[in-house]
Amino acid sequence: MTPTIPMMKVLGTVSLACGLLIVVSNVTTLARIRQNQEIIMRESVTNLLPGLKKQIIYGVEPSGDLKILPSVEGENVKRFFAGYDDSGKFLGVAIEASERGYADLISAMYSYLPDKNIVSGFQVVDMRETPGLGSRIGTDENFQKNFKALDATHPIKTVKHGTKANPWEIDAISGATISSRAVGRMLQKSVQEMSPIIEKNLDRIKRGN
Amino acid sequence: MSDNAPSCHSSGPAPAADNPFLNGLWKQNPVFVQVLGMCPTLAITNSVRNAIAMGLATTFVLTGSNCMISVVRKLVPKQVRIATFIAIIATMVTVVDYLVKAISIPVYKALGAYIPLIVANCIILERAEAYAARKPVWKSTMDGLGMGLGFAFALSCLGTVREVLGAGTWLGIPLFGPNFEPWVLFLLPPGGFISLALWLLTFATWRDRKAKREIAKAKAQEEKMHEEQLAVHA
């Protein structure tokens, strides 16, 4: 005869114990994980804006206004980093963006120079793309060259490897087209969304208040 | 390969061994002898660092799940045996996912999708079924630790060949001069298969020679005893 009650008891107890273990692990590691993510973001900003000495994190309110954030907190907050050199001169902004890639969500940061309307750098923060193929969007030097001065006045798009003809096009990585296209979509969506907000508040951002 | 390599989903008998730790580490090495866990073995061994990190993550899951399964083994009705084991293994994988993310983001980024996939690594369910569900806690924990470290050792061996030939580095340290042209094939999937084949061949050859030496030694002893017996009779 099927031992229904013992089965329920065992599965219930094991599930409860497993759930508790997961919750304890999550609570124990959460602060450290957030700390690591903040370190990575700040490092990305430093890499993306050469000469950076000071950075301010701006959060975007639903009305389109900005507020200064004390740290990188919150999952669904729209935010960007404004960078300044040692004399307080505005260098540009580093913006968070994400898009669905081949395996999972690709999270990245890119630098945007509002005066020139160009994307001047791109760095992957988190991804699960295929190692050795899609993961090259974060490491391939030739792919990174696309973002030296990517024109944001036109819609940014990814083109087949070796066919880039315009400054607003991204030359895809051969064998990693899906991940490369995801980067193009990510930048286009993000620039389209963030550039009007930055434009509107540019004087305030330049003053750093 | 080995005749006594257990099937991925079978609950075959646990291999006889005096020391469960050494058994997993060497005699029944999950990669070189049992040829299990091939997905991570081929996928993440393009660098030694990734191989060590995946090996240690799997060791943590194997040790923890073997220990927990052994604790509850007498209480679990056989009808919900696999469901219980999977719940425990998935929990350990989730814990290791959080730990890796908290300890090192670069390693977490490098291992990518493979950490959640540890749950589907057949070494873990095989050890749960074949060993932890039948043996006491201490022996099961040692078995998990041995198998995990054996897996880490095997991944490191593959990672070494692939990183040295494919990138000219070991653990990121450059080994050759600027004139070295990396053999990029070894960082790509075919390189994984080639490296695995070379290691399996090396291991099989070594085991074969060892077995032949032991047979020859036994024969020589037998002949010596026979000669001694003849001498006594004479």
Side-chain angles (χ1 to χ4, degrees):
Chain A
M1 195 179 155
T2 312
T4 312
I5 301 296
M7 284 196 310
M8 286 171 68
K9 274 185 187 170
V10 166
L11 277 177
T13 314
V14 168
S15 305
L16 188 70
C18 290
L20 275 173
L21 190 57
I22 290 172
V23 170
V24 169
S25 311
N26 181 271
V27 170
T28 319
T29 54
L30 195 61
R32 186 70 196 269
I33 290 171
R34 282 196 176 149
Q35 207 179 349
N36 278 344
Q37 279 173 337
E38 180 157 355
I39 291 169
I40 291 217
M41 276 188 184
R42 287 191 185 274
E43 277 175 2
S44 298
V45 178
T46 311
N47 294 337
L48 289 167
L49 299 169
L52 180 117
K53 290 288 171 203
K54 181 191 162 194
Q55 50 184 279
I56 296 175
I57 309 170
Y58 286 103
V60 182
E61 307 258 32
S63 61
D65 292 330
L66 302 181
K67 65 171 180 181
I68 293 177
L69 301 176
S71 65
V72 186
E73 292 261 327
E75 291 286 317
N76 298 314
V77 182
K78 255 187 243 168
R79 65 195 153 210
F80 63 88
F81 296 72
Y84 307 87
D85 66 10
D86 45 5
S87 64
K89 191 187 158 202
F90 174 64
L91 295 171
V93 294
I95 305 171
E96 278 182 271
S98 58
E99 180 62 45
R100 169 121 203 134
Y102 179 73
D104 203 350
L105 207 65
I106 301 169
S107 299
M109 293 199 76
Y110 66 94
S111 50
Y112 174 69
L113 309 184
D115 291 333
K116 296 178 184 169
N117 214 348
I118 57 167
V119 171
S120 63
F122 173 81
Q123 198 159 355
V124 175
V125 174
D126 192 13
M127 66 170 163
R128 294 192 173 201
E129 300 300 279
T130 315
L133 291 173
S135 68
R136 285 164 60 200
I137 58 167
T139 53
D140 192 291
E141 284 178 14
N142 287 327
F143 188 66
Q144 288 295 325
K145 282 179 189 165
N146 284 302
F147 311 105
K148 290 282 176 206
L150 186 69
D151 188 357
T153 53
H154 288 77
I156 296 167
K157 66 172 185 178
T158 305
V159 294
K160 204 175 162 188
H161 178 65
T163 62
K164 176 176 165 137
N166 297 302
W168 57 85
E169 289 173 345
I170 298 171
D171 191 16
I173 297 172
S174 176
T177 319
I178 296 174
S179 309
S180 307
R181 283 191 182 147
V183 173
R185 282 198 308 275
M186 174 199 296
L187 290 178
Q188 172 53 21
K189 273 189 207 167
S190 178
V191 168
Q192 204 172 17
E193 185 186 12
M194 298 299 283
S195 61
I197 297 167
I198 293 166
E199 198 66 42
K200 183 181 156 192
N201 297 284
L202 193 56
D203 290 337
R204 184 187 161 188
I205 297 169
K206 281 184 175 176
R207 286 196 305 273
N209 59 14
Chain B
M1 277 318 296
S2 166
D3 292 334
N4 53 358
S7 142
C8 195
H9 301 292
S10 76
S11 54
D18 300 321
N19 188 332
F21 178 75
L22 288 179
N23 186 48
L25 195 64
W26 191 250
K27 284 184 190 168
Q28 286 293 321
N29 186 287
V31 175
F32 293 144
V33 180
Q34 300 185 61
V35 199
L36 294 175
M38 286 298 104
C39 173
T41 301
L42 293 166
I44 54 88
T45 51
N46 52 7
S47 79
V48 179
R49 191 185 66 166
N50 291 356
I52 292 173
M54 174 53 87
L56 293 180
T58 309
T59 304
F60 179 86
V61 174
L62 255 170
T63 311
S65 61
N66 264 18
C67 176
M68 282 174 75
I69 288 164
S70 184
V71 168
V72 298
R73 73 187 192 281
K74 288 178 183 167
L75 306 170
V76 181
K78 63 180 180 189
Q79 292 89 340
V80 291
R81 198 180 69 250
I82 299 292
T84 311
F85 295 170
I86 291 287
I88 292 171
I89 293 166
T91 303
M92 296 311 296
V93 172
T94 310
V95 171
V96 88
D97 192 49
Y98 286 136
L99 285 177
V100 174
K101 210 171 181 178
I103 293 167
S104 170
I105 289 282
V107 171
Y108 181 79
K109 284 201 290 187
L111 295 184
Y114 299 108
I115 291 180
L117 286 180
I118 294 175
V119 79
N121 188 328
C122 50
I123 298 168
I124 297 166
L125 194 57
E126 189 263 321
R127 292 326 291 166
E129 270 281 80
Y131 203 94
R134 299 156 192 232
K135 300 283 180 181
V137 177
W138 174 244
K139 278 193 166 184
S140 298
T141 309
M142 282 296 109
D143 178 75
L145 191 63
M147 284 285 166
L149 291 178
F151 184 62
F153 166 71
L155 295 194
S156 308
C157 289
L158 256 87
T160 297
V161 170
R162 294 183 70 184
E163 191 181 334
V164 169
L165 295 179
T169 60
W170 190 80
L171 266 173
I173 304 161
L175 297 179
F176 310 108
N179 294 329
F180 176 74
E181 188 62 43
W183 204 352
V184 184
L185 175 80
F186 273 86
L187 295 182
L188 297 171
F193 284 102
I194 294 167
S195 311
L196 179 65
L198 291 174
W199 274 111
L200 289 177
L201 187 69
T202 309
F203 231 74
T205 309
W206 177 79
R207 278 160 60 92
D208 193 40
R209 282 186 183 174
K210 194 184 169 196
K212 278 181 185 165
R213 270 203 308 273
E214 279 171 4
I215 291 169
K217 202 175 165 185
K219 264 188 184 173
Q221 268 183 348
E222 207 175 294
E223 276 174 17
K224 197 179 169 188
M225 278 174 65
H226 186 65
E227 279 171 14
E228 279 173 2
Q229 278 175 352
L230 285 177
V232 168
H233 284 301

